[in-house]
Amino acid sequence: MSLSDLLGPDIIKLAEEKGIGSVSIHKILKQSGRDISRTTVTRILRDHRNKLGKPRPKGSNIPDFDIGNLPSSGATLDEILLNRKKESKRVAHAKESRRLIPVEVKADGPIGILHMGDPHVDDPGADIFAIERDIDLCNSVDGLFAANVGDLQNNWIGRLAPLWKKQGATAEEAWLLVEWVVKSNKWLYLIGGNHDEWTNAPSKSKGDPIKWMMDQGKGGLYEPHGARMVLNFPNERKIRINARHDFRGHSMWNPAHGLAKAAQMGWRDHILTCGHLHISGYQMLKDPASGLISHAVRVASYKKYDEYAHTLGLPDQNVSPSVVTIIDPQFSDDDPRLITVFHSSEEGAEFLKWKTSKK
């Protein structure tokens, strides 16, 4: 038996004894804890009069017709909860999978990573010759892989858009240069910097062209802002790399402060690297508990002549636009020979060739 069937007699009694309409009856029932809609009260009264053959009272607000419940185009609560649960599981799975991304290394022996600083490949002050040199090194030296900490191009938007007129490369030409860098390299990883992420700003087109280029190129990991990965070597050695566009924390006395701070505050990784500031910085740290030696490397930029830095009077602290780390997995975490750092990409490539020739 429905609620309207149970309350029907009470509603009719209230109407006949008190001479009140559906509005007043609805209020009385609601106050007594009997939650029934006003529409239902109106329908019960109308059906009762029709049964008795009584005409509709003059001035009554009871309609002469009844419209059933039409279906809603919106989702029900159950559907909303189901969709939210699916989305929550999907996001959690994606985020948890990126806490430490496994990378299976096929090379049985030493490898090199050429960490490229911010290219800003379309900027007139960018050293295009150095960019081309490092791309050629990665493609010609076995076991040497490219990596980048972000800001492939200027990508001016918003209040910075007038700066387009100060560079020779147009927006279309800039994207062609970016595509050249992305598709030419054997990438281990590529990080999206703040200039790259401006592509996804509300005023710009949706989607990420760099991700598409990576899918069309020679492979590799692409993540915006940062990525933490573990290189699994055939001899079961595991080398952790924590790469970001930048790490929080700066010091006027130590350009590598943010990375070193991260290592000291719990990120026990073998290599921590970033860029963003267009300055060079390097610091070695040893965890006294485990003996792990961490290398904190801030890579500068290929933007050798920086008008912004000149305007602010910033000192030139660009030692090299790229850094090579050579990893020899035969050594332990506390052995300084496990990772060797070169601020000359050419010297690093030569050292890698020597190491592999010894094997």
Side-chain angles (χ1 to χ4, degrees):
M1 183 176 290
S2 66
L3 183 61
S4 60
D5 293 333
L6 290 172
L7 295 180
D10 291 339
I11 292 171
I12 294 170
K13 184 177 180 181
L14 284 170
E16 291 180 344
E17 290 183 356
K18 295 184 176 295
I20 56 178
S22 60
V23 176
S24 299
I25 295 173
H26 176 257
K27 289 181 179 179
I28 293 172
L29 293 174
K30 189 173 183 180
Q31 290 170 356
S32 64
R34 292 174 287 182
D35 191 11
I36 187 170
S37 70
R38 179 183 164 189
T39 303
T40 303
V41 174
T42 302
R43 179 177 56 78
I44 291 172
L45 292 176
R46 182 195 61 203
D47 292 345
H48 177 65
R49 279 193 304 275
N50 290 339
K51 187 176 181 180
L52 297 177
K54 293 183 178 180
R56 177 172 180 262
K58 188 176 182 181
S60 172
N61 61 354
I62 301 175
D64 288 325
F65 47 83
D66 188 15
I67 300 176
N69 291 327
L70 296 174
S72 171
S73 61
T76 65
L77 176 59
D78 289 341
E79 291 171 334
I80 293 171
L81 287 172
L82 180 61
N83 291 334
R84 296 295 299 121
K85 289 177 181 177
K86 287 181 178 179
E87 185 177 22
S88 180
K89 288 176 64 176
R90 183 174 67 250
V91 171
H93 178 64
K95 293 296 183 182
E96 292 299 324
S97 299
R98 286 167 170 77
R99 283 189 180 275
L100 187 61
I101 302 169
V103 178
E104 303 302 321
V105 180
K106 298 179 182 179
D108 186 13
I111 68 166
I113 305 172
L114 197 158
H115 307 268
M116 302 175 70
D118 299 19
H120 291 279
V121 68
D122 57 326
D123 194 272
D127 189 345
I128 197 71
F129 301 100
I131 295 174
E132 188 173 38
R133 175 202 65 204
D134 288 344
I135 291 175
D136 290 342
L137 282 173
C138 290
N139 284 307
S140 61
V141 178
D142 290 338
L144 182 62
F145 301 96
N148 179 243
V149 291
D151 286 358
L152 289 167
Q153 61 166 315
N154 285 331
N155 201 24
W156 305 121
I157 65 168
R159 63 181 179 81
L160 299 176
L163 294 177
W164 280 112
K165 65 184 180 182
K166 292 188 176 182
Q167 67 177 58
T170 65
E172 291 79 5
E173 292 171 345
W175 277 113
L176 286 175
L177 290 167
V178 169
E179 189 172 6
W180 164 64
V181 173
V182 173
K183 290 187 177 181
S184 297
N185 265 326
K186 298 183 300 181
W187 293 105
L188 171 61
Y189 70 80
L190 194 156
I191 303 301
N194 59 299
H195 284 253
D196 304 313
E197 286 301 296
W198 287 345
T199 301
N200 301 317
S203 61
K204 306 282 279 188
S205 61
K206 296 184 183 297
D208 195 335
I210 298 176
K211 183 180 184 305
W212 179 86
M213 294 174 192
M214 286 288 286
D215 293 340
Q216 303 299 313
K218 300 181 180 180
L221 175 67
Y222 172 68
E223 289 290 316
H225 310 301
R228 187 168 176 257
M229 63 208 84
V230 56
L231 307 187
N232 298 317
F233 284 83
N235 67 348
E236 299 186 353
R237 287 290 284 119
K238 297 180 181 297
I239 304 299
R240 293 179 299 278
I241 300 176
N242 196 342
R244 295 193 58 81
H245 186 55
D246 196 15
F247 280 85
R248 290 179 60 84
H250 302 286
S251 168
M252 63 184 292
W253 308 114
N254 179 11
H257 172 72
L259 306 95
K261 175 184 174 183
Q264 292 169 316
M265 295 297 288
W267 293 110
R268 300 294 188 253
D269 299 313
H270 297 82
I271 299 172
L272 299 93
T273 182
C274 70
H276 184 56
L277 299 182
H278 300 189
I279 61 177
S280 300
Y282 175 54
Q283 184 174 348
M284 290 178 66
L285 306 102
K286 183 175 182 177
D287 176 26
S290 65
L292 171 71
I293 298 174
S294 294
H295 298 263
V297 183
R298 182 180 290 280
V299 192
S301 171
Y302 291 92
K303 193 174 180 179
K304 188 175 181 180
Y305 305 104
D306 191 339
E307 188 63 28
Y308 178 73
H310 176 67
T311 301
L312 297 182
L314 302 178
D316 180 7
Q317 294 179 290
N318 186 335
V319 175
S320 173
S322 58
V323 171
V324 173
T325 54
I326 306 298
I327 303 171
D328 193 336
Q330 67 176 304
F331 299 112
S332 61
D333 287 350
D334 60 352
D335 194 316
R337 293 172 294 178
L338 174 63
I339 297 171
T340 309
V341 179
F342 290 88
H343 286 85
S344 165
S345 56
E346 293 169 311
E347 288 295 313
E350 288 300 317
F351 183 74
L352 176 61
K353 287 191 284 187
W354 174 75
K355 292 281 283 187
T356 52
S357 66
K358 283 180 60 179
K359 180 178 180 301

